[in-house]
Amino acid sequence: QVHVVESGGGLVQPGGSLRLSCEASGSIFRINAMGWYRQAPGAQRELVATFTGGSSTNYADSVKGRFFISKNDAKNMVYLQMNSLKPDDTAVYYCNVWTSGPTGDENLAWGQGTQVTVSS
């Protein structure tokens, strides 16, 4: 079983910055992808930024140039640096981890989420 834990959320003023962290642990044979999604109140969960394979990245248009995803493969961690935050960025941010086992079985694990609130 894979466990995913996010941290780093909080309250920040518009224009401010936050850095989210996500750690995957447990029975991990191979990580195929790790990334960040978010869900605002009354909205569907949406992609923010992901590693799609190796070091390839994918960003939502709304965060390009402001958010930056990075990772530490040795620690099974992924980070999201969020700059120039806007009130529209307010949401619960979730990390997900797609793994494969030694026999090819795949698993997608989600964290519990961390709240990011952008408000003056």
Side-chain angles (χ1 to χ4, degrees):
Q1 188 173 4
V2 178
H3 302 280
V4 179
V5 178
E6 305 99 336
S7 62
L11 173 65
V12 63
Q13 292 186 342
S17 298
L18 279 176
R19 185 178 190 239
L20 305 183
S21 299
C22 168
E23 181 177 15
S25 61
S27 301
I28 298 174
F29 179 74
R30 182 176 65 237
I31 293 178
N32 299 318
M34 298 180 76
W36 292 95
Y37 289 70
R38 68 186 180 186
Q39 187 167 16
Q44 290 187 335
R45 192 172 296 186
E46 62 177 5
L47 178 147
V48 177
T50 63
F51 281 100
T52 56
S55 297
S56 298
T57 58
N58 185 33
Y59 290 91
D61 288 342
S62 59
V63 307
K64 284 180 180 177
R66 300 189 298 122
F67 290 13
F68 300 94
I69 191 170
S70 61
K71 62 178 178 172
N72 184 325
D73 290 333
K75 296 183 178 180
N76 292 334
M77 294 194 69
V78 65
Y79 309 94
L80 185 67
Q81 177 67 42
M82 305 185 295
N83 302 323
S84 302
L85 282 160
K86 306 174 181 180
D88 285 349
D89 295 317
T90 296
V92 178
Y93 283 70
Y94 297 91
C95 176
N96 79 351
V97 181
W98 175 31
T99 62
S100 294
T103 59
D105 54 300
E106 298 181 352
N107 181 66
L108 183 64
W110 291 89
Q112 293 297 309
T114 183
Q115 176 70 47
V116 172
T117 303
V118 185
S119 175
S120 55

